[in-house]
Amino acid sequence: MLRRRNLLTTLLIALPWALLLTLWHQYPTTHYLSLLRNENVTSKALLNGTSALREEVFPSCTRQQQSIGATPKIIQNYVYSRPPPWSDTLPTIFVITPTYTRPVQKAELTRLANTFLHVQNLHWVVVEDSPRRTNLVSNLLEKAGLNFTHLNVETPKSLKLGLSWIPSHTPRGTLQRNLGLHWLRDSFSNTAPPEGVVYFADDDNTYSLELFEEMRYTRRVSVWPVAFVGGLRYESPKVSPAGKVVGWKTVFDPNRPFAIDMAGFAISIKLILEKPHASFKLEGVKGGYQETSLLKDLVTMDGLEPKAANCTKVLVWHTRTERPTLVNEGKRGFTDPRVEV
Amino acid sequence: MGNEELWAQSVLEMPKRRDILAIVLIVLPWTLLITVWHQSTIAPLLAVHKDDGGDSQRDLAAGLDSKEYCLSDRDIVEVVRTDRPVQKAELTRLANTLLHVPNLHWILVEDSQRRTPLITRLLRDTGLNYTHLNVETPRNYKLRGDMRDPRIPRGTMQRNLALRWLRETFNRNNSQPGIVYFADDDNTYSLELFEEMRSTRKVSVWPVAFVGGLRYESPKVNAAGKVYGWKTVFDPHRPFAIDMAGFAVNLRLILQRSQAYFKLRGVKGGYQESSLLRELVTLNDLEPKAANCTKILVWHTRTEKPVLVNEGKKGFTDPNVEI
């Protein structure tokens, strides 16, 4: 009897373990574990091979046909025609982007262009920090299909060095942005100003499509929060219940006249043309005061228009791209320098 | 009492201990099995759907063959690491690029326990065709805090889950054309790249910028248009010395070789791609794109981690505001 019991016990032990091992072997660990956790429906679906389940979890194409979405139709029109056709009634968004040659430049401008190609009535003013307009940028702009203006002005080395002792990084792009403003003032007359806004967009930031629609109808200067600036998740204007800007939610020097990042405001063309002497100050600008140096000549705090749901939504992120390691290029270079990167 | 009796006592105790062991060995596996079986039959009856949106949102333009929009000519597998501050920004600008590509189906796989609302909302708002999956890479608690198991290369389980989803969703015999491309959320993709990969018959390859410590890595292509090697400094003798962003696979091949997956463990650095590709294709079968691998159409950019030092210990900004 003892022997039979031993046999039974052995069987009762061996059988379930064998089953478990087979399951374990077939599927990666966490599939199995997540089954126990009741989270991953897909794994369960995979374990159960019945076609009925498959219908439910992976609805067939025919079934989904019936439901029709309303909003995406607009998106679909934008998706496959780039850029959207120019409209005579929509205010134009002039985006001024200073850029400079470095390995990631083409990548940055490419993904920026991919974003701008969705925005109607956008005119991209690209200003290179270089003695001549480079082929890389010229070709990129021509291929992209956007409305663009290609300018260049080189920051003199003395200026780059002179300002670099300031704790914050060298205020790069100042000359270039000013040239962009200068071009606008040259191209449009103050007597018949076009409807539109100016926005300063650095080439490594990330912009949502919603942002452009928020800024389009700026009357004077509009403002909104910006992510990843000032050592915070985001910096934001302080907006009173009456919808007026009353201060700045920042840790770094919140008492600046305009404690806001370059990507956090847009100015109406009319205002730019009305005040032809307003530009970014080149020298003697403390770190973080660049934006103030322009805005103080254009508007006062209570003239600001808060956007992005009274400055409660983040629609632009001050992302920065890592410098790529090119250590394996060595002294002589490994890759073909004629291949454009 | 003597030695004899002690010995007898211990002999009597042994069966008891053995009995307990036997009981445990029996109860444990059966309990596990029953739990699993229970979950797999009960859970699907609940209304918990894997989020497979997009198809229902697509409005049918007049005159479009109603079957057409189900034909995904492209499947992009995107692996998302959750809980990074820059996640929403990365996905936003990636979506802005993908929105230009016709017939694209975005498979986004989160490395997380649950599909996060942030991503669910983002996907829905784009209007793209998408599938939202998740599987969590097991954490290695021996390492400090939140570190995932470093022996499993990042993104592997997620990419494998997507491959499995493809194999479950598409019939091996159906002739629906499709290409599978693995796209990490911090890379930069030109629109031209997607058109280049569309004509992939088996596996196509092209150069990738900013990998391997170089301006770019590239396949070596001979005069006859065949790949015969790899222009890399780091280990050019790997079977496939190519970055994840440097190849695309025809869906049919994925379905035919249904056991081909990225290897989970024991993969040397830089061999991840080889672990999959060697089960799909030989060097000779590779199709070079991008003008015989002379143009750069994809850049392995990386985004800096943002400095959040001024948040301090308690946090300065409103945590309810999504970034």
Side-chain angles (χ1 to χ4, degrees):
Chain A
M1 204 182 110
L2 199 65
R3 215 178 287 165
R4 230 183 288 159
R5 221 182 64 178
N6 274 350
L7 198 66
L8 183 64
T9 314
T10 318
L11 198 68
L12 273 176
I13 294 173
L15 182 63
W17 282 110
L19 273 170
L20 276 178
L21 278 169
T22 327
L23 278 175
W24 201 282
H25 178 75
Q26 264 194 6
Y27 300 102
T29 314
T30 52
H31 280 177
Y32 190 71
L33 291 175
S34 61
L35 284 168
L36 302 176
R37 254 180 275 149
N38 191 23
E39 287 302 340
N40 195 331
V41 183
T42 312
S43 299
K44 285 187 267 297
L46 298 174
L47 201 58
N48 186 336
T50 63
S51 57
L53 177 63
R54 188 171 302 195
E55 276 299 338
E56 172 150 82
V57 180
F58 308 109
S60 67
C61 279
T62 44
R63 210 208 286 171
Q64 284 178 322
Q65 238 172 267
Q66 264 114 49
S67 39
I68 299 171
T71 329
K73 189 170 192 172
I74 301 170
I75 297 175
Q76 188 151 353
N77 283 341
Y78 287 170
V79 167
Y80 302 140
S81 58
R82 26 185 166 97
W86 200 268
S87 151
D88 284 329
T89 50
L90 215 59
T92 305
I93 301 179
F94 290 91
V95 178
I96 299 182
T97 297
T99 185
Y100 64 104
T101 303
R102 78 267 197 210
V104 294
Q105 182 187 39
K106 190 177 182 187
E108 301 283 44
L109 293 176
T110 298
R111 56 184 170 185
L112 203 54
N114 290 344
T115 291
F116 292 160
L117 280 165
H118 291 293
V119 184
Q120 198 169 7
N121 281 37
L122 184 144
H123 189 103
W124 198 12
V125 182
V126 179
V127 194
E128 292 195 70
D129 186 344
S130 62
R132 262 168 296 283
R133 289 186 301 207
T134 61
N135 283 335
L136 186 149
V137 177
S138 302
N139 293 337
L140 188 144
L141 287 174
E142 265 157 58
K143 267 204 205 152
L146 287 161
N147 260 29
F148 71 90
T149 295
H150 187 184
L151 308 169
N152 71 290
V153 60
E154 190 178 28
T155 308
K157 292 212 170 32
S158 59
L159 216 65
K160 282 189 205 165
L161 290 174
L163 295 167
S164 62
W165 62 266
I166 295 173
S168 61
H169 62 93
T170 317
R172 223 202 293 260
T174 312
L175 267 179
Q176 289 71 32
R177 291 186 193 99
N178 281 346
L179 184 63
L181 289 174
H182 183 87
W183 174 84
L184 274 169
R185 288 163 174 148
D186 263 354
S187 310
F188 301 103
S189 89
N190 190 16
T191 47
E195 284 286 317
V197 290
V198 180
Y199 181 55
F200 298 99
D202 288 346
D203 63 9
D204 53 359
N205 291 343
T206 303
Y207 309 91
S208 69
L209 300 182
E210 206 179 329
L211 176 72
F212 299 103
E213 300 317 312
E214 286 285 304
M215 69 171 76
R216 207 186 278 280
Y217 294 96
T218 302
R219 286 188 318 272
R220 299 186 78 67
V221 177
S222 55
V223 292
W224 49 78
V226 179
F228 309 138
V229 285
L232 295 169
R233 285 168 73 247
Y234 63 90
E235 276 183 352
S236 166
K238 264 193 215 158
V239 182
S240 71
K244 288 253 172 233
V245 176
V246 295
W248 311 99
K249 263 189 265 175
T250 76
V251 167
F252 170 65
D253 209 346
N255 298 319
R256 288 173 276 165
F258 296 90
I260 194 168
D261 181 80
M262 196 65 73
F265 64 91
I267 309 166
S268 78
I269 302 282
K270 195 153 158 286
L271 189 55
I272 292 288
L273 299 175
E274 263 173 36
K275 309 268 173 89
H277 298 296
S279 334
F280 290 102
K281 204 158 163 237
L282 264 174
E283 296 181 53
V285 181
K286 258 204 302 182
Y289 282 77
Q290 254 249 305
E291 296 79 3
T292 302
S293 76
L294 170 73
L295 290 172
K296 71 183 197 315
D297 290 334
L298 292 170
V299 76
T300 56
M301 194 188 284
D302 60 69
L304 295 171
E305 300 149 54
K307 301 287 181 184
N310 266 351
C311 295
T312 57
K313 286 165 73 173
V314 173
L315 302 175
V316 57
W317 299 262
H318 196 287
T319 42
R320 290 168 59 96
T321 305
E322 278 183 21
R323 213 164 105 176
T325 15
L326 303 179
V327 63
N328 281 339
E329 291 288 344
K331 281 196 178 161
R332 298 218 203 95
F334 178 83
T335 53
D336 184 347
R338 293 167 300 173
V339 173
E340 190 181 82
V341 156
Chain B
M1 286 265 225
N3 278 346
E4 256 187 356
E5 277 161 325
L6 280 173
W7 179 85
Q9 217 176 13
S10 61
V11 168
L12 280 172
E13 281 175 15
M14 262 170 53
K16 256 192 233 164
R17 235 179 283 154
R18 239 200 9 218
D19 277 352
I20 293 174
L21 181 65
I23 291 171
V24 169
L25 277 176
I26 294 173
V27 169
L28 180 64
W30 282 113
T31 318
L32 275 171
L33 278 172
I34 291 172
T35 320
V36 169
W37 174 82
H38 179 84
Q39 298 283 22
S40 68
T41 48
I42 301 295
L45 299 177
L46 302 173
V48 180
H49 274 286
K50 166 184 65 61
D51 202 355
D52 196 8
D55 284 303
S56 54
Q57 286 177 309
R58 277 280 199 108
D59 198 5
L60 293 174
L64 236 187
D65 180 5
S66 57
K67 281 201 208 124
E68 257 179 51
Y69 81 149
C70 293
L71 275 175
S72 292
D73 217 16
R74 163 84 11 87
D75 283 273
I76 298 228
V77 181
E78 163 76 57
V79 179
V80 176
R81 296 165 272 166
T82 312
D83 292 334
R84 286 146 64 227
V86 293
Q87 180 180 59
K88 189 176 181 189
E90 301 281 45
L91 292 178
T92 297
R93 59 182 167 186
L94 184 55
N96 288 345
T97 294
L98 298 181
L99 276 166
H100 291 294
V101 184
N103 283 35
L104 182 140
H105 188 107
W106 195 12
I107 302 171
L108 209 148
V109 192
E110 287 195 69
D111 186 345
S112 64
Q113 254 185 17
R114 260 171 229 91
R115 294 193 297 262
T116 59
L118 184 152
I119 307 242
T120 308
R121 267 193 305 264
L122 189 146
L123 284 171
R124 252 180 276 203
D125 290 343
T126 60
L128 285 164
N129 256 10
Y130 69 91
T131 295
H132 187 185
L133 307 172
N134 70 291
V135 63
E136 191 178 30
T137 309
R139 280 168 163 76
N140 188 342
Y141 291 109
K142 290 183 198 156
L143 301 178
R144 54 185 160 79
D146 202 24
M147 292 295 286
R148 300 221 150 68
D149 192 336
R151 292 170 297 168
I152 302 179
R154 212 197 321 245
T156 314
M157 302 193 63
Q158 290 72 31
R159 293 186 194 100
N160 281 345
L161 181 61
L163 289 174
R164 185 171 283 280
W165 178 87
L166 285 167
R167 286 160 176 152
E168 287 292 322
T169 311
F170 298 103
N171 192 335
R172 182 194 293 223
N173 297 322
N174 97 27
S175 54
Q176 180 166 316
I179 314 287
V180 181
Y181 179 57
F182 297 97
D184 288 345
D185 60 9
D186 49 1
N187 291 343
T188 303
Y189 309 92
S190 68
L191 299 183
E192 206 180 330
L193 174 73
F194 297 106
E195 297 318 308
E196 285 286 303
M197 67 171 79
R198 238 184 249 279
S199 55
T200 305
R201 287 189 318 273
K202 287 193 172 170
V203 176
S204 55
V205 292
W206 49 78
V208 178
F210 311 141
V211 286
L214 296 169
R215 285 167 73 244
Y216 63 89
E217 277 183 349
S218 167
K220 275 195 205 158
V221 183
N222 64 22
K226 287 262 177 220
V227 176
Y228 67 96
W230 309 99
K231 259 189 270 183
T232 77
V233 167
F234 168 66
D235 209 345
H237 301 295
R238 288 172 275 167
F240 297 89
I242 195 167
D243 182 78
M244 197 65 72
F247 66 91
V249 186
N250 191 308
L251 179 62
R252 209 179 317 121
L253 191 58
I254 296 282
L255 301 177
Q256 274 168 4
R257 308 279 170 92
S258 54
Q259 296 308 312
Y261 284 99
F262 290 101
K263 197 154 166 248
L264 262 178
R265 287 177 214 264
V267 183
K268 259 205 300 183
Y271 282 77
Q272 253 252 303
E273 295 80 2
S274 297
S275 76
L276 172 74
L277 289 173
R278 66 165 201 268
E279 302 193 45
L280 294 173
V281 78
T282 59
L283 201 73
N284 198 41
D285 280 336
L286 295 173
E287 302 148 53
K289 302 286 177 188
N292 265 351
C293 295
T294 57
K295 285 165 72 170
I296 309 292
L297 302 174
V298 57
W299 299 260
H300 196 286
T301 42
R302 289 167 59 99
T303 304
E304 278 183 20
K305 208 164 130 176
V307 170
L308 302 178
V309 63
N310 281 338
E311 289 288 345
K313 280 197 176 159
K314 296 213 200 97
F316 178 83
T317 53
D318 182 349
N320 291 324
V321 173
E322 190 181 85
I323 50 161

